[in-house]
Amino acid sequence: RRVGESGCLETTTRRSRAITPTTPTIRVVNRQRHDPVPGAWLRRVAGRAMARLKVRGRGVFGMAFVDSRLMRRLNREFTGHRGLPDVLSFRYEGEPVIGEVVVAPACARQYAAAHGLPYRQELARYALHGLLPWLGHEDRTAAQRNRMHAMEDALLNTCGGK
């Protein structure tokens, strides 16, 4: 099953045009009401990151922002794990939807508040954190986590995420 089947992308949304004709179109969906989601800004940050990472291909790349309850359900349904992850990432073959990042804004808000960081910046980091595994980067070991965090920092700095 695709995440889209659970309702994350099944809503009317504003679509951005692809940065170039060969990059995916980014669709942002906010399916929660507790935390603000600056969709247009996140679309621009993700689009710049895809261009910088040389992502090529056609189709739609979805970024869904969901409440904690739905995030727990998706985690259990698609990974078999319990608990609340901050980000889930899914890669699909073919069009129209080629991948999705599902983010829990409540996690970003809580982490940002606990560490004195701007919420918007942390939300952008979560979106980028979901994009990197979609491209094949892993964060299972300490070295992989450090590398991914460095990549996120570089993308945040160069793509307008700060």
Side-chain angles (χ1 to χ4, degrees):
R1 267 183 72 189
R2 289 187 177 191
V3 175
E5 293 175 13
S6 68
C8 287
L9 290 181
E10 295 171 4
T11 185
T12 303
T13 60
R14 287 184 58 192
R15 296 174 94 182
S16 67
R17 279 181 264 160
I19 299 285
T20 68
T22 59
T23 59
T25 298
I26 299 168
R27 181 183 294 172
V28 175
V29 177
N30 183 10
R31 299 195 44 87
Q32 55 83 53
R33 294 184 179 155
H34 304 290
D35 299 292
V37 174
W41 176 73
L42 287 166
R43 228 183 344 267
R44 283 192 304 275
V45 171
R48 290 175 188 147
M50 284 185 168
R52 184 157 180 83
L53 294 167
K54 297 179 176 43
V55 173
R56 299 290 180 258
R58 295 174 30 197
V60 174
F61 182 80
M63 291 176 27
F65 297 86
V66 302
D67 63 28
S68 298
R69 186 171 147 209
L70 179 55
M71 190 65 146
R72 280 188 188 93
R73 184 174 66 79
L74 294 171
N75 190 40
R76 189 172 49 254
E77 184 175 338
F78 290 99
T79 71
H81 298 138
R82 295 201 171 276
L84 177 63
D86 46 15
V87 179
L88 292 171
S89 184
F90 300 90
R91 183 177 190 94
Y92 307 128
E93 298 300 323
E95 293 179 38
V97 178
I98 58 172
E100 291 178 277
V101 170
V102 183
V103 176
C107 292
R109 178 182 35 78
Q110 291 168 355
Y111 187 89
H115 294 87
L117 300 169
Y119 165 71
R120 270 175 56 123
Q121 178 182 322
E122 195 61 18
L123 198 59
R125 177 180 297 280
Y126 282 28
L128 295 175
H129 183 76
L131 176 63
L132 294 173
W134 181 74
L135 293 170
H137 299 278
E138 294 188 10
D139 64 352
R140 294 178 189 192
T141 68
Q144 289 172 335
R145 281 189 294 277
N146 290 338
R147 183 167 185 255
M148 188 178 287
H149 192 76
M151 291 176 73
E152 292 164 8
D153 284 342
L155 289 170
L156 284 169
N157 286 326
T158 59
C159 298
K162 284 196 171 186

